[in-house]
């Protein structure tokens, strides 16, 4: 965590980076009204022992309490495949509405079949308090916010533009690392190209906050903030001048070399439930499913 200097004239952003999953979670808030949103939180999960922990979420909560913030929103950019969401835990402690893009229903239908969930698993997005459509508007304190549907990495990805800041999930990484993969079920490299181009059409000075950083080849310090102008000029996969066919060919070939994320199986089946763990079975224990030879 890096300490923020409050400026009432612009949206404040405090980032919490989880090195175990390379995930950047953000607290975005209005320093004047003390109203904020938590974006892409992390529930710690040890795959070897199947134990969960709220250490990362507790750090976020401590900051919120220290700053005396009122949390109006818990925002998810998509159903993450690399970490479990802590949104329900933080919502219980801090309040706020849990929101995601409305195309989460597509993810629920696709992965509901992969995990062979029965009819008791609702595939209508009802696990969330709000399902955002492209162009929907809301606010964080005195700052207007707009939702952009940016599919490609998954069908349900959205970006949140709040004031002069854009929280873009897994569409782009730091310029020296490139762009998100597009080979998950429902992903599409061509859609990703157009989604990124849409993001890059935002004003040059827009602050861009990422969901992940994996370190570029010549960089030793993790980073999670860049700008539209830097991405347009320097992104190694999709800077200005890279055409659609070139990008799709690159992304398709690169994705074939990538392994599945280490936590994709637990993450997706939890996150498409709004971050809630599966219901307990007759013995009181909760269980995660592993579909063999499927993903």
């Amino acid at each position: 965590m890096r300490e923020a200097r409050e400026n009432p004239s612009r949206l404040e952003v405090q980032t919490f980076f989880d090195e175990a999953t390379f995930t950047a979670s953000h607290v975005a808030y209005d320093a004047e009204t003390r109203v904020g949103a938590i974006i892409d939180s992390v529930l710690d999960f040890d795959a070897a022992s199947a134990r969960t922990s709220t250490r990362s979420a507790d750090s976020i909560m401590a900051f919120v309490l220290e700053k005396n913030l009122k949390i109006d929103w818990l925002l998810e950019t998509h159903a993450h495949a690399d970490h479990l969401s802590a949104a329900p835990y933080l919502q219980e402690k801090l309040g706020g509405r849990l929101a995601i893009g409305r195309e989460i229903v597509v993810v629920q239908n696709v992965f509901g079949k992969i995990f062979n969930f029965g009819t008791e698993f609702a595939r209508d997005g009802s696990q969330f308090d709000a399902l955002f459509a492209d162009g929907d508007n809301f606010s964080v304190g005195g700052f207007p916010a707009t939702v952009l549907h940016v599919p490609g990495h998954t069908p349900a990805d959205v970006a949140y533009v709040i004031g002069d800041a854009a929280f873009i999930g897994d569409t782009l990484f730091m310029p020296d690392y490139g762009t998100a993969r597009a080979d998950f079920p429902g992903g599409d490299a061509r859609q990703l190209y157009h989604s990124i181009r849409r993001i890059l059409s935002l004003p040059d000075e827009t602050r861009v906050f990422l969901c992940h950083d994996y370190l570029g080849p010549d960089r030793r310090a993790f980073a999670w903030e860049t700008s539209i102008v830097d991405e347009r000029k320097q992104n190694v996969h999709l800077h200005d001048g890279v055409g659609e066919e070139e990008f799709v060919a690159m992304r398709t070939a690169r994705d074939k070399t990538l392994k599945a994320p280490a936590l994709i199986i637990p993450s997706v089946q939890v996150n498409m439930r709004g971050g809630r763990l599966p219901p307990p079975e007759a013995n009181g224990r909760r269980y995660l499913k592993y579909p063999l030879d499927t993903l």
Side-chain angles (χ1 to χ4, degrees):
M1 185 183 78
R2 295 175 184 171
E3 190 60 36
R5 294 182 179 180
E6 291 189 350
N7 179 351
S9 66
R10 76 170 189 170
L11 185 78
E12 292 292 340
V13 181
Q14 183 67 61
T15 299
F16 298 79
F17 191 74
D18 175 47
E19 288 195 32
T21 60
F22 305 101
T23 301
S25 303
H26 310 286
V27 179
Y29 65 98
D30 180 339
E32 185 172 354
T33 65
R34 316 309 297 176
V35 171
I38 298 172
I39 304 162
D40 291 336
S41 59
V42 172
L43 179 71
D44 303 291
F45 179 74
D46 180 71
S49 64
R51 289 190 175 273
T52 62
S53 164
T54 60
R55 174 186 53 81
S56 295
D58 287 338
S59 295
I60 292 175
M61 182 165 61
F63 175 81
V64 168
L65 296 175
E66 176 192 346
K67 293 294 185 180
N68 193 29
L69 303 180
K70 176 182 180 290
I71 297 301
D72 273 2
W73 293 101
L74 300 113
L75 303 173
E76 299 291 330
T77 55
H78 61 296
H80 308 276
D82 36 37
H83 72 272
L84 281 64
S85 171
Y89 171 76
L90 289 167
Q91 184 179 43
E92 179 184 356
K93 300 292 185 181
L94 301 171
R97 300 180 69 196
L98 173 57
I100 199 168
R102 70 177 182 181
E103 298 305 317
I104 186 63
V105 299
V106 176
V107 176
Q108 290 176 330
N109 274 288
V110 170
F111 279 93
K113 294 175 182 177
I114 289 174
F115 290 113
N116 196 32
F117 289 160
T119 56
E120 71 277 4
F121 172 63
R123 295 163 168 82
D124 58 1
S126 57
Q127 300 86 347
F128 300 84
D129 300 311
L131 299 180
F132 285 131
D134 184 59
D136 278 353
N137 297 306
F138 62 104
S139 64
V140 176
F143 292 93
T146 300
V147 179
L148 304 180
H149 181 216
V150 287
H153 175 60
T154 80
D157 280 64
V158 293
Y160 300 103
V161 182
I162 309 174
D164 74 329
F167 301 86
I168 64 169
D170 285 13
T171 51
L172 285 166
F173 300 129
M174 291 298 290
D176 61 356
Y177 199 83
T179 60
R181 65 195 299 167
D183 60 333
F184 294 152
D188 186 281
R190 203 168 296 278
Q191 280 190 330
L192 182 62
Y193 174 87
H194 290 287
S195 293
I196 292 173
R197 283 297 181 205
R198 186 181 187 194
I199 291 170
L200 295 180
S201 71
L202 292 169
D204 283 354
E205 64 274 12
T206 303
R207 293 179 292 157
V208 177
F209 291 90
L210 313 176
C211 189
H212 296 286
D213 184 42
Y214 303 100
L215 294 178
D218 300 314
R219 182 162 47 86
R220 295 184 178 181
F222 289 108
W224 43 78
E225 180 180 353
T226 179
S227 69
I228 293 296
V229 68
D230 284 348
E231 291 284 4
R232 288 183 59 185
K233 290 181 177 179
Q234 302 173 22
N235 189 282
V236 294
H237 292 166
L238 193 47
H239 53 78
D240 284 349
V242 175
E244 180 176 346
E245 298 305 324
E246 179 184 356
F247 174 79
V248 170
M250 178 282 301
R251 190 69 265 170
T252 302
R254 181 176 174 84
D255 287 349
K256 289 179 180 179
T257 71
L258 301 178
K259 296 180 179 179
L263 297 182
I264 185 172
I265 290 176
S267 295
V268 173
Q269 60 187 299
V270 168
N271 293 337
M272 67 180 183
R273 299 176 186 269
R276 295 172 184 85
L277 299 174
E281 298 191 7
N283 62 358
R285 295 187 183 277
R286 303 175 188 270
Y287 292 86
L288 295 168
K289 287 186 172 184
Y290 272 68
L292 300 180
D293 304 319
T294 302
L295 296 177

